[in-house]
Each structure stands twice: as C-alpha cells, then as structure tokens.
Amino acid sequence: LFNRALDIRRQLLGTHHRQVAAIYTNLGALHKLRNDVPAAEESLRMALEIQEQVLERDHPEIAMTLHNLADVLLMEERIDEADAHLRRALIIKERAFGPDHPHVADTVLVIGVLHASRNHYTLAQAAFTRAIDIWEVTPPQDPVPFAEALANLALVYQIRGFYTEAIALYDRAIPVFDERLGPGHRNTLRARYNLAAAYAAQGNYSVAIRRYQEMLEQAEASLPPGDPALARPLIGLATVHLEMGLYGKAGDFYASAIELLEKTDPLETRALAFAIGGLADCLVQQRHYAEAVPLYRRGIKLLENQQRANLRELGAMYANLASVYSIEGKHKQARPLYTHSLELLTKAYGSKHVV
C-alpha cells in the first residue's frame, strides 16, 4: 500500500515533494519493524534528501527523520554516524519545541542508548534520567518509550552496582512491556532477565531462580517450541546455578541455551558467546581445563567478530582464559592474555574502576 501511495504521490506531485518524503518516512518505519535495516535506511535517506531540498534546515520533520535514521544506524552498530544525526535532531527539536517536550525526550532516550553502547554510563544515566523526567511531567501517548527509558536506566544502575535502584525501575517498566508488547517480546524478556540478574547479584538466588522460571514458563507459553528467545531464561538459570556452585546443573542449562542459539539466523553472537563462556566456567570449576580452553577461544572469537565488541564481556573472557593457563602452569601463555584483558576492561570501565 505504501509503495502504491508513493507512486501516486510522485505522479501527482513530482519526486521532490514534502508528501513524497512523508511516504518514504513511513516506508522506513515499516521496514524497521520488519527488521529490514538496509531497506529502512534507504527509505529514510530518500526522505531526508527530499526534506533537505524542500524544507527549512531546522524544520521539525527533518529532526524526526534524522532521529529515525539514527535509530536504524544503531541497529547496525554504526555509532558515529548515528551520533551526528542525533545531535542535529536534538538541536532542531529543542529549538522547535523547547527543552522539555516529549519529542525531545524521544531523541534524548536514543542518545542515552548511544552513550551506553560506548560504555559512557555517566552520560547514559543523565540522558535516560532527563527523558524520564520529561515524560513524568508530560506522559507520552505511547508508554513503551517511557518504559524503555526506565529499563535502560535500570541497566545502567545495575552495571554500576546499584541493584536496589535497578530493581525498582524494572518493576515499573515490566508491566508496561507485558501489557503493550506481550510476554514473549524481546523487550519484555530482556527486562525480566535483567531484573532476575539484579536479584542474583544481590545474592538473593531463590528470588532470581523463581523469576527466571516464571520468565521461561511465560516464554514457552507464548513462543513456538525451539524459539531462540527461550535461551535467555535458560542462560539466567544457568548463571544463578553457577554462582550457587551447582556446576553440573548450570552446565546443562548453558548447553540447552547454546543448542537453541546455534540455530538462529542471523547468529545472536553476543548471547551465544556468553553461553559458551558460561559453559567453559562450569568446566573450569569441575577442573576440566582442556575442555574449557577451546570454548573460551570460541567465545572470544565470536565477540571479536562483532562490529562493536562488548569490552566488558570480552575482557572478562580473556581473563578467564588466562586464569586457566595460569592454573595449568602455562604462565607464558597467561601473561599476555591478562595484559590484554586489563586493557579491555580499563577501556570499558575507566582506569579508576575496580576490575
């Protein structure tokens, strides 16, 4: 329908008209919902090209397109390109609507996501807090972005060790995700997973296990058998059992998660690497060092092959591999791995963080 509307508008109005740009914008949004990132980017760039020619440079419609294009670029981890578009979008929106308008909060939220992807957690926290403050005064028509801001701020608190604050924010976000997106949606599953992880980080393992079990049951009820999304609660259960010293049971959960994740297309690299590293941790605790080493190496390779590697997880996996070599007395092999791990973790957390 959008393509037909686009053809009609072009015939009636010409190729460079504001209404033609609006159709391209809607097409971009549709492609994004379908996870067709290249098509979404192409449509949004066409919209922006037309808008730049027919509208004033600081027109709010240009800001909306810049925002949407940046969102798509972030899906491909093209951080620097997204950053430039978001900065310009924010300037335009603040001039057009004022600093405390919900449209401004939309862009501030995505800026927070960008800062978090760069491990700039102080900046991310400030951005998420600003978006939440705006929406608490002027609630958005769609509460999902507000819930996303709550969940993202919760994750920042969690990474920084403020688990009580994180739990309170997840408890506000999850009911919105459940109601608006459903229990099997990735945002709902991610928030439930992180909430249970926060309880586990506090040492409250019984609550964490109960939360992961509830999450698994809800996902099984709403998703088809073998759906890769089922791997997330399995990884959570595995991680808690690992922390409790139940290495055999933890290993079984990790193995089940790996089996699901290896079937995904495209591969969910980060989740698969985490599960593989967790299984290796279980083997190390059971002194099966020879079996653990190739798993750590596979996990490292997966993380390094990402467009933008997660430095926290990559640094931790290098440290774990170094520890195995050290336990085996292979200190020459361990030393450079420890050094590289420290470099990665320093980049991720800063030089003053206890890593």
Side-chain angles (χ1 to χ4, degrees):
L1 288 175
F2 278 124
N3 284 321
R4 186 180 172 192
L6 181 61
D7 289 338
I8 294 170
R9 293 280 175 90
R10 282 157 130 185
Q11 289 172 11
L12 292 174
L13 305 170
T15 56
H16 285 70
H17 192 279
R18 181 177 178 179
Q19 291 183 27
V20 174
I23 295 291
Y24 275 119
T25 299
N26 290 332
L27 268 173
L30 180 62
H31 290 311
K32 183 188 170 190
L33 284 173
R34 291 175 173 172
N35 286 320
D36 188 347
V37 175
E41 181 183 351
E42 182 182 358
S43 295
L44 290 167
R45 287 196 185 280
M46 286 296 298
L48 184 61
E49 181 184 336
I50 295 168
Q51 289 169 339
E52 296 274 24
Q53 293 181 30
V54 302
L55 299 175
E56 294 180 5
R57 180 171 173 76
D58 289 344
H59 196 283
E61 287 179 24
I62 291 178
M64 301 299 182
T65 304
L66 288 166
H67 170 107
N68 291 333
L69 179 57
D71 215 5
V72 168
L73 292 171
L74 281 175
M75 292 172 72
E76 290 192 314
E77 299 185 355
R78 291 157 65 182
I79 309 297
D80 292 339
E81 289 179 74
D83 190 357
H85 292 318
L86 286 170
R87 287 176 187 277
R88 186 179 166 202
L90 183 62
I91 290 169
I92 295 172
K93 284 186 175 185
E94 286 179 331
R95 286 175 181 168
F97 304 115
D100 299 322
H101 194 279
H103 288 328
V104 171
D106 288 334
T107 297
V108 171
L109 168 60
V110 182
I111 288 171
V113 173
L114 185 145
H115 287 316
S117 71
R118 286 173 164 166
N119 303 309
H120 297 165
Y121 297 118
T122 302
L123 293 174
Q125 180 177 330
F128 294 140
T129 300
R130 181 184 174 190
I132 290 166
D133 288 345
I134 292 171
W135 280 321
E136 283 182 328
V137 174
T138 311
Q141 289 184 334
D142 178 7
V144 171
F146 178 59
E148 288 174 353
L150 292 170
N152 283 323
L153 180 57
L155 183 56
V156 169
Y157 278 134
Q158 191 168 347
I159 290 168
R160 302 181 76 182
F162 302 115
Y163 303 116
T164 301
E165 292 85 350
I167 287 167
L169 290 166
Y170 286 131
D171 282 337
R172 292 176 64 190
I174 289 169
V176 178
F177 290 146
D178 267 332
E179 181 184 343
R180 292 299 181 117
L181 304 177
H185 192 275
R186 62 185 179 184
N187 285 13
T188 312
L189 292 171
R190 186 185 301 116
R192 287 192 178 279
Y193 178 92
N194 290 337
L195 172 61
Y199 280 114
Q202 288 182 321
N204 201 339
Y205 298 127
S206 60
V207 175
I209 288 173
R210 187 177 76 246
R211 294 279 188 169
Y212 284 130
Q213 289 283 11
E214 290 170 355
M215 179 183 167
L216 181 60
E217 289 166 9
Q218 288 178 335
E220 286 175 336
S222 60
L223 297 171
D227 192 294
L230 296 170
R232 187 175 286 274
L234 289 170
I235 290 172
L237 286 166
T239 304
V240 175
H241 283 91
L242 174 61
E243 291 176 6
M244 294 173 69
L246 301 173
Y247 306 123
K249 199 167 184 179
D252 291 341
F253 281 125
Y254 279 128
S256 297
I258 290 167
E259 186 179 350
L260 289 170
L261 291 167
E262 284 179 330
K263 296 174 183 175
T264 60
D265 184 23
L267 206 62
E268 293 189 21
T269 306
R270 186 179 169 193
L272 179 58
F274 185 87
I276 288 169
L279 180 56
D281 292 342
C282 294
L283 292 168
V284 168
Q285 293 298 330
Q286 296 172 88
R287 301 185 181 182
H288 301 317
Y289 305 124
E291 296 173 56
V293 167
L295 288 173
Y296 282 135
R297 290 204 172 278
R298 185 185 174 199
I300 286 169
K301 187 176 180 181
L302 284 167
L303 290 174
E304 287 183 332
N305 284 342
Q306 286 187 296
Q307 256 189 322
R308 190 175 183 85
N310 184 294
L311 300 182
R312 291 182 294 115
E313 292 169 8
L314 186 58
M317 203 168 295
Y318 264 108
N320 290 342
L321 177 58
S323 296
V324 173
Y325 283 132
S326 184
I327 291 167
E328 292 181 317
K330 299 176 181 177
H331 302 297
K332 247 185 206 182
Q333 289 167 272
R335 193 172 294 112
L337 296 173
Y338 276 130
T339 300
H340 189 48
S341 168
L342 185 59
E343 290 169 354
L344 292 169
L345 294 172
T346 300
K347 283 182 184 176
Y349 292 104
S351 59
K352 295 182 180 180
H353 195 279
V354 179
V355 295

